[in-house]
Amino acid sequence: MKADLVVRGGDVVLEGAAVRADVAVTGGVVTAITREPVDAATVVDATGCLVLPGGVDAHVHLSGGGGPEGAPTWADDWESGTRAAAAGGVTTVGNMTVPREGESLTDAVRRVGADVAAQSLVDVLLHPVVAGEQHLDPAQLAVLRELGQTSIKVFTVIDAYSAHRQRFYAFMAEAGRQGFLTVVHCEDAELIGWSTAHLAEQGRADFRAYGESRPDTAEEAAVAQLIAFAETSGTPVYVVHLSSARALAACAAARSRGVPVYVETRPLYLHLTEELLQAEDGAKYIGQPPLRRAADVDALWAGLRFGTVDTVATDHAPWTLAEKLAAGDQLDELRPGVADLETVRPMLFSAGVLTGRISLARFVELTATNPARLFGVYPRKGVIAPGSDADLVVWDPAETRVVDGSRMQSRAGYSPYDGTVVTGWPREVLSRGELVVSGGAVVAGPGRGQLLQRGLTAPR
Ligand SMILES: [Zn+2]
């Protein structure tokens, strides 16, 4: 058989099992998974490696926070952020897209879509952020669908949500009726506000009090409220960066009643615990929500294993170490977010698959197949199958590196996992049949990434 390119001799991870086979690629698409000889101009040797579908990280922040021009924003832009993605074996990212002052959801998608086309190395889907009551316009949903974007992002912690929750419910319910998935940051704003004020009265306003200012009860309360909405209205909802055992238990119980609630967690909550926030440099671990206890970590790993957690996404929103540490004095000035696109899959493979905590099949579901299904890009993305995009990762399961953020692609310049020994890294990465990483080095340039035209959510 003839092809443009063949990935030869690897163990190809298909849905359910790995098989020794060659993957033939023509026109950027997988044409066959075969043991027949493939005659191709380009041969990618995968001997001794796994061949995985490219990762789908549904939750990143690469286009700024939507604040005023010139306001401080995250360290990575589309170029550096998607270089980090490629290096980590992630070939599709889902970006939280915050409208600028006066901008509609659809205008934000058009503006950021143009940036994607000019600057991104990998493919992209966009979640427009409902940043205020001015965005609660159901007429926008049909236009978003025409633009190929079929999800919206809601934060329960913003003033507008507290002030206009019934109108948010109406908008989310209409989005659900039109086949959108609503992704939600779940923490209870009033509990956080009270906790923060209470700590300040005790003279505790620095980063060491951060965990207490955003307790797991605040996450649990917001999740319970969201579940009540989803159950009452039948609206599908996706909880981002779930961090605690209590909130996970609420989601698992709701799912057992048939409520359409999906759960994402994030590497910070799988690999680190709250004691780190008491260290001298504890501010560098700040994320929203905060790090939790070892019992929460164990509960999340059980959720990964048994299927109550659907996806692992990064919430990649990095700052430089100097920025993180400089903002550590006041709870309301902290800079939440870390770089994780390059480490999410290797860390999960190393700490999960190699230890037997999760299977290889679950690893692929959590980091590729499930997010592709939930966000309407399956089977184009998230699976190796004839007709799917040739987003392929030649994964060396034996390569060991010590994490060193100063040598990685993100402009953060550090990693919260610096010094961690991690086994299992991408060696070659293909996006639509094009080598974007070769021998572990990023070889693609900006401007080849595409804004994906998505279908409706296709829950499992
Ligand atoms: Zn986020």
Side-chain angles (χ1 to χ4, degrees):
M1 139 188 353
K2 279 196 163 310
D4 295 347
L5 176 148
V6 62
V7 178
R8 187 166 283 164
D11 288 322
V12 184
V13 182
L14 306 174
E15 284 178 292
V19 294
R20 178 74 47 86
D22 295 349
V23 182
V25 175
T26 293
V29 170
V30 173
T31 51
I33 299 145
T34 181
R35 295 184 195 190
E36 304 296 316
V38 179
D39 176 17
T42 305
V43 177
V44 176
D45 178 23
T47 308
C49 289
L50 299 168
V51 181
L52 308 176
V56 178
D57 180 349
H59 186 169
V60 306
H61 296 262
L62 298 178
S63 57
E69 299 281 350
T73 188
W74 297 293
D76 281 329
D77 57 14
W78 281 106
E79 182 176 348
S80 63
T82 57
R83 284 179 70 86
V90 173
T91 50
T92 301
V93 296
N95 186 71
M96 299 305 166
T97 300
V98 186
R100 288 184 178 153
E101 191 72 38
E103 207 174 41
S104 66
L105 300 185
T106 48
D107 286 347
V109 164
R110 287 192 188 92
R111 168 177 55 81
V112 174
D115 291 344
V116 166
Q119 299 163 24
S120 184
L121 277 73
V122 302
D123 292 346
V124 175
L125 50 97
L126 300 178
H127 313 290
V129 174
V130 182
E133 57 175 317
Q134 71 278 14
H135 295 138
L136 299 172
D137 172 10
Q140 292 272 294
L141 293 167
V143 188
L144 288 173
R145 261 180 80 162
E146 280 168 27
L147 296 170
Q149 304 310 313
T150 50
S151 53
I152 53 170
K153 170 77 182 283
V154 167
F155 290 84
T156 65
V157 287
I158 64 173
D159 292 345
Y161 189 81
S162 294
H164 306 288
R165 179 138 43 101
Q166 187 177 331
R167 290 182 56 200
F168 272 75
Y169 283 172
F171 188 66
M172 291 153 66
E174 181 57 28
R177 273 193 290 276
Q178 296 194 26
F180 282 59
L181 185 58
T182 298
V183 310
V184 187
H185 175 127
C186 286
E187 290 182 288
D188 185 282
E190 286 73 23
L191 263 180
I192 292 170
W194 179 82
S195 299
T196 304
H198 185 66
L199 288 160
E201 283 165 17
Q202 299 165 25
R204 299 187 56 215
D206 79 327
F207 66 89
R208 290 185 176 82
Y210 181 68
E212 283 170 79
S213 77
R214 306 181 87 98
D216 59 356
T217 47
E219 182 175 64
E220 182 189 27
V223 162
Q225 192 72 55
L226 182 70
I227 287 168
F229 163 70
E231 188 161 12
T232 304
S233 64
T235 303
V237 294
Y238 174 99
V239 179
V240 295
H241 54 49
L242 186 124
S243 66
S244 66
R246 300 172 69 121
L248 180 59
C251 292
R255 284 155 75 110
S256 71
R257 301 193 298 274
V259 181
V261 54
Y262 304 96
V263 175
E264 167 195 294
T265 192
R266 168 190 195 195
L268 280 183
Y269 311 128
L270 298 172
H271 305 299
L272 304 177
T273 48
E274 63 181 5
E275 296 77 26
L276 289 168
L277 292 173
Q278 302 308 314
E280 187 87 12
D281 60 354
K284 77 180 181 188
Y285 302 105
I286 296 283
Q288 244 176 39
L291 299 180
R292 304 297 191 192
R293 291 171 292 271
D296 296 292
V297 172
D298 290 344
L300 289 170
W301 276 101
L304 299 183
R305 182 181 177 109
F306 296 114
T308 52
V309 175
D310 298 289
T311 68
V312 176
T314 57
D315 199 4
H316 183 99
W319 306 88
T320 67
L321 186 56
E323 286 170 332
K324 290 285 268 195
L325 298 182
D329 284 350
Q330 292 296 324
L331 287 175
D332 55 0
E333 291 175 6
L334 294 175
R335 302 220 163 127
V338 299
D340 229 334
L341 271 163
E342 194 166 342
T343 38
V344 55
R345 296 188 96 192
M347 294 277 295
L348 189 65
F349 184 87
S350 191
V353 179
L354 293 182
T355 62
R357 281 203 273 192
I358 58 171
S359 66
L360 181 60
R362 278 299 288 157
F363 171 78
V364 169
E365 286 171 12
L366 289 159
T367 60
T369 319
N370 289 351
R373 284 181 187 276
L374 285 164
F375 293 102
V377 293
Y378 178 93
R380 182 176 171 191
K381 306 292 190 186
V383 63
I384 301 174
S388 295
D389 280 359
D391 291 4
L392 304 169
V393 181
V394 177
W395 186 274
D396 185 342
E399 189 190 347
T400 297
R401 295 185 204 162
V402 178
V403 174
D404 177 358
S406 72
R407 300 182 57 178
M408 298 197 310
Q409 300 294 332
S410 170
R411 295 193 186 116
Y414 85 101
S415 164
Y417 319 110
D418 276 339
T420 306
V421 178
V422 174
T423 299
W425 291 85
R427 197 171 71 193
E428 263 76 46
V429 180
L430 293 128
S431 164
R432 284 178 275 105
E434 200 177 317
L435 264 178
V436 294
V437 171
S438 180
V442 179
V443 295
R448 62 164 306 285
Q450 293 180 357
L451 180 61
L452 298 172
Q453 298 296 301
R454 299 151 60 189
L456 303 180
T457 183
R460 305 167 56 221

